[in-house]
Amino acid sequence: MDLLIKETAKILKESDFTIAFTGAGISVESGVPPFRGEHGLWNKYNPEVLDLGYYLDHAEKCWGYIREIFYDFFADAKPNPAHLVLAKMEEAGLLQAVITQNIDNLHHEAGNKEVYEFHGNSKKLKCLKCGSVYDVNEVDLESLPPLCKKDSEILKPDFIFFGEGIPHEAYSNSFAAAERAKVCLIIGSTGEVTPASYVPRTAKQSGATIIEINPEESMFTSQITDIHLKGKASEILTKLSSELF
């Protein structure tokens, strides 16, 4: 493993355009539960509450679950060492963009500036009628459902529900970065969710070296991964950090 870490650090130092593609696995260590898998939220909750069509018809009912899942459970989550290393890499010019499937805002809180949130951000609420966007801290979630101050419409969390399209800007920025990438770090993503999982595949097709950081093999491992650093995100990125800085 130590040799692989050294080799990876060398590849990262030589790259002039590196992207990180992150999934639920990077945030689990911050206490954010994943949606899928053995301990996933969908084992406890019905995914229907995040289906756009169902939500539009039953927004008041859905908001009780939404508050519990997104604003009670992991409202206090803080960036972990893996997030902080990525921020340090960007600051040092070793990382040009983070493309994340996560909606927890932790990359921003860690200090990354160039973050493309493929599935939106739970810390923002949006009025579907007038388009106003609110920071969640501006909104009283004790009284549900939260309403727009301008037109009293029910606010929707500004992340992607089932049946909803990927935000155009995040989508185009992500694939543009993937096409430019010389190195793509995959961190904590299993590759099950499309179209997000096409981002590292696009990087590979464009000639990038794919470095995967995951505790287990994923759908990427045998198909596109060049180097698999097997372990938790914080552990591996901390080791990488000591070689990079």
Side-chain angles (χ1 to χ4, degrees):
M1 177 62 91
D2 287 348
L3 278 174
L4 275 182
I5 295 279
K6 285 183 192 302
E7 185 187 341
T8 301
K10 182 172 182 286
I11 291 167
L12 287 168
K13 284 176 183 173
E14 289 172 356
S15 167
D16 59 7
F17 200 95
T18 296
I19 61 173
F21 176 79
T22 68
I26 195 172
S27 292
V28 165
E29 294 173 69
S30 292
V32 178
F35 287 98
R36 292 167 175 77
E38 189 184 347
H39 303 293
L41 287 167
W42 295 146
N43 294 335
K44 184 177 177 185
Y45 294 96
N46 186 341
E48 189 174 55
V49 300
L50 293 187
D51 177 88
L52 187 64
Y54 185 82
Y55 172 82
L56 293 174
D57 290 336
H58 307 91
E60 293 192 36
K61 179 184 174 185
C62 292
W63 253 107
Y65 295 108
I66 289 168
R67 179 176 68 185
E68 190 174 306
I69 298 170
F70 298 99
Y71 304 106
D72 293 346
F73 272 0
F74 50 85
D76 298 327
K78 297 282 182 285
N80 65 53
H83 294 104
L84 297 173
V85 170
L86 291 180
K88 192 174 179 184
M89 284 174 65
E90 184 181 351
E91 195 180 357
L94 293 169
L95 180 65
Q96 278 60 52
V98 173
I99 298 153
T100 188
Q101 295 170 269
N102 301 333
I103 59 172
D104 49 37
N105 201 51
L106 293 177
H107 287 299
H108 287 293
E109 290 174 33
N112 279 101
K113 304 283 190 292
E114 204 65 27
V115 182
Y116 309 142
E117 292 169 315
F118 212 79
H119 295 146
N121 188 318
S122 65
K123 303 293 183 185
K124 301 270 193 294
L125 304 180
K126 187 172 186 177
C127 176
L128 296 181
K129 187 175 179 185
C130 73
S132 295
V133 176
Y134 299 86
D135 191 279
V136 74
N137 298 320
E138 301 172 63
V139 178
D140 178 15
L141 291 182
E142 290 303 310
S143 105
L144 293 180
L147 303 176
C148 178
K149 291 169 186 171
K150 293 177 185 169
D151 54 27
S152 296
E153 286 289 312
I154 295 176
L155 297 174
K156 175 191 168 290
D158 199 18
F159 56 79
I160 299 308
F161 280 37
F162 298 114
E164 197 172 6
I166 304 301
H168 173 73
E169 193 176 346
Y171 185 93
S172 57
N173 285 342
S174 297
F175 282 100
E179 286 170 7
R180 287 184 65 189
K182 297 290 190 293
V183 176
C184 173
L185 287 166
I186 297 173
I187 307 165
S189 174
T190 57
E192 291 172 61
V193 179
T194 58
S197 63
Y198 298 140
V199 171
R201 295 176 191 282
T202 298
K204 178 73 172 180
Q205 285 165 1
S206 302
T209 300
I210 309 294
I211 296 160
E212 180 179 352
I213 299 172
N214 267 325
E216 304 296 336
E217 292 199 352
S218 71
M219 290 176 77
F220 296 121
T221 315
S222 61
Q223 295 177 2
I224 63 168
T225 299
D226 296 299
I227 296 174
H228 183 194
L229 301 174
K230 205 168 180 180
K232 289 183 176 179
S234 289
E235 169 200 340
I236 300 294
L237 281 163
T238 300
K239 286 180 180 174
L240 258 181
S241 178
S242 63
E243 294 290 332
L244 290 172
F245 306 110

